[in-house]
């Protein structure tokens, strides 16, 4: 997606050799016009499958999924919760995900009310790195007996193992931009 | 807002005497068509002021603010971050908010890059209860030298002190539904 690549080159900043910060339009401040273009692009990529619901994970995935839903007939969006929440249903699908950024495991939960057997689920998220969060969401979808139709990612870190891991698990992956490398303060796309 | 009241009566569930769960359309699953109506209503309520940016707080505020932005000319949305985050700028506005739900203080942060002096800010959030989170966001806006034009709330717990606290601080408040009480498994609106 050319517009995304331009945004990354213009507004992204690199920290070390593996962190790309896109706080100005995706992870802290949100560019809503731009997210509408992202939503259109996801619809184009997944236009061949019927989607009943979009699943994402708090917090950065929420804006992406909500805006994108408008291009999928306003299907419901469900966001998986990362932290212990007093108000969440006790009756949840749950999985553990290891975060390399935080150096620890966290629990991801979705209430059983909002994922149903046989539903066609599209997972959308901001980044794909090592693929652990994506696999966690697949685990939750499997527990519900729903169908994971594919995973749409805004920015894939092509130099990490996420794609390989998802392919091993026969998961369809559509990334709008794939980073080949982000070392030496230079972004290279695949 | 009649549609909201209908949704609350039809889909909301009451826990104890002070918690209204609206997980089916606002806090876990998101009804995107409905949020578009919420966005239109906020625009109607704040149509007399020029808004440069919408500020909200993760996680539930993000969908509300992102969809609403489309009715305010796609102004940027900034979501304040609640937890310590490795990738956040060191250069942040920060305030502490006491959460009665969680029984502890948490830190709320916004990068200095995304709130600027003189900007007109609209704060949007899902719930108003005791008003502490809203006041925290006002503190951050004050630190930035920006202007808080008003706070738009989807569901106000009218039986808690939020409104009084905001009025004392001369903050304009627009709530789309005000709960008079939610005791005895019955929702009463003001």
């Amino acid at each position: 997606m050319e517009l995304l690549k331009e945004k990354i080159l213009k507004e992204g900043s690199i920290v070390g050799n593996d962190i790309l910060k896109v706080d100005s339009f995706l992870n802290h401040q949100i560019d809503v016009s731009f997210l509408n273009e992202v939503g259109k692009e996801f619809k184009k990529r997944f236009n061949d499958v019927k989607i009943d619901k979009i699943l994402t994970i708090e917090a950065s995935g929420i804006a992406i999924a909500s805006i994108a839903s408008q291009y999928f007939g306003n299907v419901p969006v469900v966001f998986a919760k990362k932290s212990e929440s007093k108000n969440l249903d006790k009756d949840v699908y749950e999985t553990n995900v290891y975060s390399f950024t935080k150096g620890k495991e966290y629990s991801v939960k979705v209430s059983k009310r909002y994922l149903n057997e046989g539903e066609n689920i599209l997972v959308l998220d901001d980044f794909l790195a090592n693929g652990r969060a994506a696999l966690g969401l697949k685990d939750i979808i499997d527990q519900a007996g729903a169908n994971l139709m594919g995973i749409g990612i805004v920015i894939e870190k092509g130099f990490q193992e996420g794609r390989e891991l998802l392919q091993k698990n026969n998961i369809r992956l559509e990334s709008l931009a794939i980073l080949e490398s982000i070392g030496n303060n230079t972004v290279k796309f695949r």
Side-chain angles (χ1 to χ4, degrees), chain A residues 22 79 83 100 103 155:
Chain A
V22 286
F79 61 94
S83 52
F100 287 89
I155 303 172

Side-chain angles (χ1 to χ4, degrees), chain A residues 7-90:
Chain A
K7 290 281 269 193
I8 290 171
L9 292 176
K10 198 175 156 201
E11 299 181 32
S13 63
I14 297 166
V15 181
N17 280 313
D18 58 354
I19 295 176
L20 172 71
K21 286 181 62 176
V22 286
D23 272 4
S24 68
F25 62 93
L26 203 60
N27 294 125
H28 188 14
Q29 181 170 255
I30 297 164
D31 182 333
V32 175
S33 303
F34 168 71
L35 278 199
N36 270 277
E37 297 306 316
V38 164
K40 278 180 212 172
E41 182 68 24
F42 279 135
K43 174 61 184 166
K44 204 189 285 180
R45 304 276 188 113
F46 289 102
N47 200 29
D48 56 312
V49 283
K50 182 178 159 285
I51 300 298
D52 297 316
K53 203 167 265 185
I54 297 173
L55 178 65
T56 189
I57 192 163
E58 61 181 2
S60 291
I62 297 175
I64 297 164
S66 299
I67 299 288
S69 155
Q70 298 174 327
Y71 299 93
F72 288 87
N74 287 325
V75 292
V77 169
V78 175
F79 61 94
K81 304 209 173 189
K82 272 181 190 170
S83 52
E84 208 67 37
S85 171
K86 215 173 171 181
N87 296 355
L88 196 68
D89 273 281
K90 295 294 167 224

